[in-house]
């Protein structure tokens, strides 16, 4: 499904060159034709047995590293006559977004260095719940609502009951991407295709990324699943029947009552802004939430939390004993 949709968008844009990062299936489709020209950059070195170095290079997109000494030279030769270049990448979902964003910037600079007049369009395949991280490192990329499915993925395979959370982030205008009519419709406010079951949220100013009915939660300040209810114990929206987690503890000072991002011990973030301050509260024993614990206290707190979790699991798994009365 991802291959068919990308090929439709690429053919309409009429790209001259494709750089496929971790997307061998896309490269396989376009490598057989004359236009657009395609080059595969992948961490799997087994492709060296099937493709010459002019169309494949052993590459790590997390660090923008070519394993072969002449890898970058082959890429420069490939881009010599490039006019419209598409970067198509499908990184592992657990990788940090900022390292992928850094690799995209470096590849953009390389393309512009080879040909300053070349146009570069990015197609980044990533889960929708990581939209915030993608926007921080690549602000020009917008999420396309198309639900990406895989042929060989154990969970996100086409036809599975579990709906895929994977989407495409691109700097191509979303109005130019035409999605299948049987599952999607055009949203006039978003100027893009969205799933038919999704309705535009005026508070968020966009259509929710999830492919299911949703509603806006004023406490969470975002759209959630339609059947979810806000839980004050969990500090978020959860199903009506769920097991509430234990009271949250700050991962920095190991004290309850606040989270790491609100901890006053964090004097600054990566952008230099001060952390959000929260009024100081007191525990039942008179200790302050914001008092920094010693190493021994931290260790004891972690042990106590593990012990409570084990007891909760044993209680949940303990079978009920059937009782009978003899009369």
């Amino acid at each position: 499904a991802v291959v068919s949709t990308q090929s439709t968008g690429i053919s309409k844009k009429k790209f001259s060159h494709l750089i496929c990062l971790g997307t061998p299936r896309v490269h396989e489709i376009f490598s057989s034709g004359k236009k657009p020209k395609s080059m595969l950059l992948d961490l799997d070195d087994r492709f060296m047995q099937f493709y010459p170095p002019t169309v494949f290079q052993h590459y790590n997109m997390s660090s923008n590293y070519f394993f072969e000494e002449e890898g970058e030279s082959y890429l420069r030769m490939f881009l010599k006559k490039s006019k419209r270049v598409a970067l198509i990448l499908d990184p592992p979902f657990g990788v940090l977004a900022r390292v992928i964003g850094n690799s995209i910037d470096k590849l953009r600079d390389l393309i512009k260095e080879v040909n300053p007049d070349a146009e570069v369009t990015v197609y980044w395949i990533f889960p929708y719940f990581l939209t915030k991280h993608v926007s921080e490192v690549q602000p020009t990329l917008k999420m396309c609502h198309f639900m990406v499915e895989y042929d060989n993925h154990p969970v996100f395979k086409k036809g599975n009951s579990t709906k895929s959370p994977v989407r495409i982030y691109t700097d191509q205008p979303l109005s130019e991407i035409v999605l299948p009519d049987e599952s999607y419709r055009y949203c006039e406010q978003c100027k893009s295709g969205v799933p038919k079951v999704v309705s535009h949220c005026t508070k968020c100013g966009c259509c929710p990324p999830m492919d299911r009915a949703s509603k806006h939660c004023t406490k969470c300040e975002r759209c959630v699943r339609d059947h979810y209810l806000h839980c004050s114990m969990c500090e978020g929206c959860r199903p009506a029947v769920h097991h509430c987690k234990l009271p949250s503890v700050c991962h920095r000072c190991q004290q309850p009552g606040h989270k790491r991002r609100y901890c006053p011990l964090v004097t600054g973030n990566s952008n230099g802004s001060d952390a959000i301050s929260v009024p100081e509260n007191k525990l039942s024993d008179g200790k302050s939430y914001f008092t920094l614990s010693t190493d021994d206290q931290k260790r004891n707190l972690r042990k106590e939390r593990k012990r409570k979790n084990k007891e909760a699991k044993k209680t949940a798994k303990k079978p009920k004993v059937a009782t009978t009365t003899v009369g």
Side-chain angles (χ1 to χ4, degrees):
V2 58
V3 173
S4 61
T5 299
Q6 282 184 341
S7 61
T8 303
I10 290 168
S11 61
K12 288 184 178 180
K13 286 287 287 185
K14 296 181 180 179
F15 290 106
S16 61
H17 292 70
L18 305 181
I19 301 178
C20 302
L21 290 86
T23 54
R25 293 288 299 277
V26 178
H27 172 73
E28 184 181 352
I29 288 177
F30 290 99
S31 61
S32 57
K34 293 183 178 180
K35 288 186 178 182
K37 295 181 178 180
S38 177
M39 185 171 189
L40 176 63
L41 306 180
D42 201 283
L43 190 62
D44 192 347
D45 58 352
R46 291 176 295 179
F47 288 109
M48 299 176 69
Q49 304 174 18
F50 307 101
Y51 298 113
T54 53
V55 294
F56 170 76
Q57 281 299 320
H58 192 198
Y59 173 81
N60 187 346
M61 75 174 80
S62 298
S63 56
N64 189 42
Y65 178 74
F66 291 90
F67 290 90
E68 304 297 331
E69 293 183 1
E70 299 180 352
E72 186 174 329
S73 302
Y74 277 108
L75 180 59
R76 289 177 177 272
M77 290 172 56
F78 172 77
L79 295 168
K80 267 189 177 180
K81 296 182 179 180
S82 59
K83 294 181 180 179
R84 293 183 176 180
V85 184
L87 290 176
I88 309 172
L89 58 152
D90 188 5
F93 301 154
V95 71
L96 291 175
R98 59 182 175 84
V99 299
I100 301 299
N102 184 50
S103 297
I104 292 175
D105 290 335
K106 289 183 178 180
L107 288 173
R108 272 203 190 110
D109 294 340
L110 188 147
I111 295 170
K112 291 293 184 180
E113 185 180 341
V114 176
N115 190 353
D117 298 329
E119 298 179 11
V120 184
T121 305
V122 178
Y123 298 91
W124 183 352
I125 302 169
F126 224 44
Y128 69 75
F129 49 78
L130 296 174
T131 299
K132 178 182 177 181
H133 300 281
V134 175
S135 300
E136 287 176 353
V137 297
Q138 292 291 330
T140 59
L141 301 185
K142 304 299 179 184
M143 189 194 74
C144 174
H145 282 264
F146 178 76
M147 184 173 61
V148 178
E149 295 173 325
Y150 298 86
D151 292 335
N152 55 355
H153 197 281
V155 180
F156 306 139
K157 188 182 248 184
K158 189 173 182 181
N160 279 11
S161 58
T162 304
K163 293 186 177 181
S164 172
V166 187
R167 304 291 185 264
I168 301 175
Y169 296 85
T170 178
D171 49 3
Q172 178 183 352
L174 298 180
S175 57
E176 296 180 2
I177 302 177
V178 181
L179 301 181
D181 294 335
E182 59 270 15
S183 303
Y184 300 88
R185 63 177 180 83
Y186 186 79
C187 177
E188 293 292 342
Q189 290 87 352
C190 295
K191 303 296 182 185
S192 64
V194 298
K196 288 184 177 180
V197 296
V198 171
S199 57
H200 188 84
C201 180
T202 56
K203 295 181 180 179
C204 293
C206 62
C207 290
M210 59 194 75
D211 188 15
R212 52 176 59 88
S214 60
K215 62 180 180 181
H216 187 85
C217 177
T218 55
K219 295 181 180 179
C220 294
E221 297 182 351
R222 62 187 180 91
C223 287
V224 297
R225 299 186 184 185
D226 192 35
H227 63 279
Y228 275 21
L229 299 175
H230 190 84
C231 178
S232 57
M233 179 66 72
C234 297
E235 299 179 353
C237 288
R238 300 289 185 270
V241 180
H242 70 283
H243 296 286
C244 292
K245 62 182 182 181
L246 296 175
S248 59
V249 174
C250 176
H251 294 294
R252 186 174 181 86
C253 65
Q254 294 296 322
Q255 297 293 345
H258 66 280
K259 294 184 178 180
R260 180 187 175 92
R261 64 175 176 269
Y262 299 124
C263 183
L265 297 177
V266 183
T267 56
N269 299 325
S270 58
N271 57 5
S273 61
D274 291 334
I276 301 173
S277 60
V278 176
E280 185 172 336
N281 296 313
K282 298 288 183 179
L283 292 171
S284 58
D285 56 1
K287 291 183 179 179
S288 171
Y289 281 2
F290 298 151
T291 303
L292 181 62
S293 303
T294 62
D295 291 340
D296 292 336
Q297 289 174 332
K298 291 179 183 179
R299 194 178 300 109
N300 293 335
L301 284 170
R302 283 194 285 268
K303 287 181 179 179
E304 182 66 17
R305 284 174 61 83
K306 287 182 180 179
R307 184 185 66 79
K308 289 182 179 179
N309 288 332
K310 286 182 179 179
E311 288 180 356
K313 288 180 180 179
K314 286 181 180 179
T315 305
K317 292 181 179 179
K318 189 175 181 180
K320 295 181 179 179
V321 179
T323 58
T324 57
T325 57
V326 179

